[in-house]
Amino acid sequence: MTTTDKRREILHSALKLIALNGFQGAPTALIASRANVGAGTIYCYFESKDVLIQTLYEELEIRMLAALTKGYPGTQPLRERFIHVGKSFVRYCLAVPMDFRFLEQFHNSPHGAAYRRDRILGGKDQDIIHELFEKAQKEQLIKDLPKMILMNLFFGPLLCVVRDHVLGFATLDEPTIDRTVDACWDAIRR
Amino acid sequence: MTTTDKRREILHSALKLIALNGFQGAPTALIASRANVGAGTIYCYFESKDVLIQTLYEELEIRMLAALTKGYPGTQPLRERFIHVGKSFVRYCLAVPMDFRFLEQFHNSPHGAAYRRDRILGGKDQDIIHELFEKAQKEQLIKDLPKMILMNLFFGPLLCVVRDHVLGFATLDEPTIDRTVDACWDAIRR
DNA sequence: CTACATTGACTGAGCAATCAGTCAGTCTGG
DNA sequence: CCAGACTGACTGATTGCTCAGTCAATGTAG
């Protein structure tokens, strides 16, 4: 087993434990043993448990953004772009439920709040999705509300619906996903 | 200070600490000292920390449901009832941000998942809000989607928007609240 | 004085992080 | 080609700390 394998095993085992049991239910000793690695090995690769978690978060966020961007219909009408992003978001989350649960745990923790504060107050929020909302607003296709509210109107329900599915409270099939994303568009369109 | 006062002080101090710092950041020793009470006194009133948290949750949930029900326009058109519930929800959460933060912490914890599972699978979910969605669906005023998805479409964005306000990422004024709730109605209406 | 409420030092469990030690793999001098 | 020195990735018992919960001692109301 190479050095990189161990690092990957540690990240994977941490992801799984945190997704299933929360930060509480993922002691370093358990992360190590599930990764078939000594307790100290974690600290060869990561300065602290916090750094491990932060690293994991950043990797998952990059993968998520890539999934939303993949196949992005940049030339089609804006409405189609919103629908694409919404569906991609739901499908990606359902495809990697562990990643989704981890991201949720992270967001609802002191880590998450701090991270978000940095991003928003640091003006670092600038990606394809922010662009999309700004353009649609300029073209008066969507309601005249603060961008953050529009984003919550669109993604808020999707987040809730995916959570309910992943936790086993509901079941999402393809047609239901499509119609839910359409409903989110109804919320923001003029 | 009477017996009841101490109980209330303990609950209040726990609420505040958990809302601000999460379950992690609310050790029983600190809850007790902030309540001007000995560490053992908590256990005169509550079997365990878990029971204390559960009790607190149930009290807050009752208050919240009361706030949504207050002034409920049971005779007006269904749309107006939705708007009333939506606005009441947002206003109440903004009025008691600590309660809101606590409820969020609770929902995003093992406690919350277990509680929710009991409610949903036990078929205990039957209140004025569920009634409202069912009636609107029977009258074909709202979309033909599973009730749980409709509820997420309506309340999901409100939850997100209130969270952003309470965490200081955004500011909600009255007109914005009104227009956001209207947008949530657009999401579910036919 | 009695019965009960309250206290806070204490206990044992569980935690993140450490570090002295191990050993497979690599290098070096003969 | 090989024996012996060396390296550093890896290990896991240990450390120091925090926490929920306990209980003997103390306070207090009737």
Side-chain angles (χ1 to χ4, degrees):
Chain A
M1 182 148 35
T2 75
T3 270
T4 323
D5 280 338
K6 297 217 172 193
R7 200 188 119 98
R8 197 167 46 232
E9 284 298 311
I10 291 166
L11 283 168
H12 183 251
S13 137
L15 166 65
K16 210 168 148 185
L17 281 167
I18 292 170
L20 292 175
N21 313 319
F23 293 108
Q24 285 279 25
T28 54
L30 196 57
I31 292 174
S33 83
R34 294 285 185 90
N36 296 311
V37 135
T41 308
I42 289 174
Y43 298 90
C44 297
Y45 294 100
F46 306 98
E47 211 174 280
S48 65
K49 195 189 180 185
D50 274 10
V51 169
L52 162 59
I53 289 166
Q54 193 73 34
T55 306
L56 197 43
Y57 176 77
E58 280 159 20
E59 287 195 9
L60 296 192
E61 201 192 31
I62 288 167
R63 279 194 240 161
M64 164 83 82
L65 197 62
L68 298 201
T69 306
K70 197 183 163 192
Y72 182 70
T75 58
Q76 280 197 276
L78 290 176
R79 179 183 180 280
E80 272 57 47
R81 300 189 215 173
F82 276 101
I83 301 293
H84 171 88
V85 168
K87 284 190 203 172
S88 302
F89 175 74
V90 174
R91 290 211 196 95
Y92 182 73
C93 292
L94 297 186
V96 289
M98 289 291 196
D99 293 25
F100 175 75
R101 285 299 296 149
F102 175 88
L103 289 171
E104 284 248 292
Q105 300 276 0
F106 185 87
H107 283 297
N108 296 299
S109 74
H111 295 106
Y115 186 78
R116 187 124 186 265
R117 178 157 280 126
D118 285 355
R119 282 264 295 233
I120 291 175
L121 302 184
K124 272 277 303 101
D125 255 351
Q126 204 51 53
D127 54 35
I128 214 170
I129 292 165
H130 288 263
E131 261 178 53
L132 181 57
F133 276 87
E134 276 159 24
K135 190 176 280 188
Q137 202 155 34
K138 218 169 281 170
E139 295 190 15
Q140 308 203 349
L141 272 175
I142 59 178
K143 296 186 167 96
D144 181 29
L145 280 163
K147 187 170 69 172
M148 197 173 295
I149 289 186
L150 290 169
M151 293 185 73
N152 284 331
L153 281 167
F154 191 75
F155 288 109
L158 300 181
L159 209 70
C160 294
V161 154
V162 170
R163 183 193 301 134
D164 282 354
H165 178 97
V166 169
L167 294 179
F169 298 145
T171 323
L172 284 175
D173 51 25
E174 273 296 320
T176 308
I177 293 171
D178 290 357
R179 298 173 56 228
T180 304
V181 174
D182 286 345
C184 291
W185 167 253
D186 288 342
I188 59 169
R189 75 178 236 218
R190 280 210 206 234
Chain B
M1 182 152 29
T2 74
T3 270
T4 324
D5 280 339
K6 295 215 173 194
R7 199 188 119 99
R8 197 167 48 232
E9 284 299 312
I10 291 167
L11 282 168
H12 182 251
S13 137
L15 166 65
K16 211 170 147 185
L17 282 167
I18 292 169
L20 291 175
N21 313 320
F23 293 109
Q24 285 278 27
T28 53
L30 197 56
I31 292 173
S33 81
R34 294 286 185 89
N36 295 312
V37 135
T41 308
I42 289 174
Y43 297 90
C44 298
Y45 295 100
F46 306 98
E47 210 175 281
S48 67
K49 196 189 180 187
D50 274 10
V51 169
L52 162 61
I53 289 167
Q54 193 73 35
T55 306
L56 196 44
Y57 177 77
E58 279 158 20
E59 287 195 9
L60 296 192
E61 202 193 30
I62 288 168
R63 279 193 240 161
M64 165 82 82
L65 198 62
L68 297 201
T69 307
K70 197 181 162 193
Y72 182 72
T75 57
Q76 281 196 277
L78 290 177
R79 178 184 181 279
E80 270 59 44
R81 299 188 215 173
F82 276 100
I83 301 293
H84 171 89
V85 168
K87 285 190 200 171
S88 301
F89 175 74
V90 174
R91 288 213 196 94
Y92 181 73
C93 292
L94 296 186
V96 289
M98 289 291 196
D99 292 26
F100 175 75
R101 284 300 296 149
F102 175 88
L103 289 171
E104 285 248 292
Q105 300 276 359
F106 185 88
H107 283 298
N108 296 300
S109 74
H111 296 106
Y115 186 79
R116 188 124 185 265
R117 180 157 277 126
D118 285 355
R119 282 264 294 232
I120 291 174
L121 303 184
K124 271 277 302 99
D125 255 350
Q126 204 50 55
D127 55 33
I128 213 170
I129 292 165
H130 288 263
E131 261 177 52
L132 181 56
F133 276 87
E134 277 160 23
K135 189 176 284 188
Q137 202 154 33
K138 217 169 284 170
E139 296 191 14
Q140 307 202 349
L141 271 175
I142 59 178
K143 295 185 168 97
D144 181 29
L145 280 163
K147 189 170 67 172
M148 198 171 294
I149 289 186
L150 290 168
M151 294 184 72
N152 285 331
L153 280 167
F154 190 75
F155 287 109
L158 300 180
L159 208 71
C160 293
V161 154
V162 170
R163 182 193 302 134
D164 282 354
H165 177 98
V166 169
L167 294 179
F169 298 144
T171 322
L172 285 174
D173 50 25
E174 272 296 320
T176 308
I177 293 172
D178 290 357
R179 297 173 56 227
T180 304
V181 175
D182 286 345
C184 292
W185 167 252
D186 287 342
I188 59 169
R189 77 178 235 218
R190 280 208 205 237

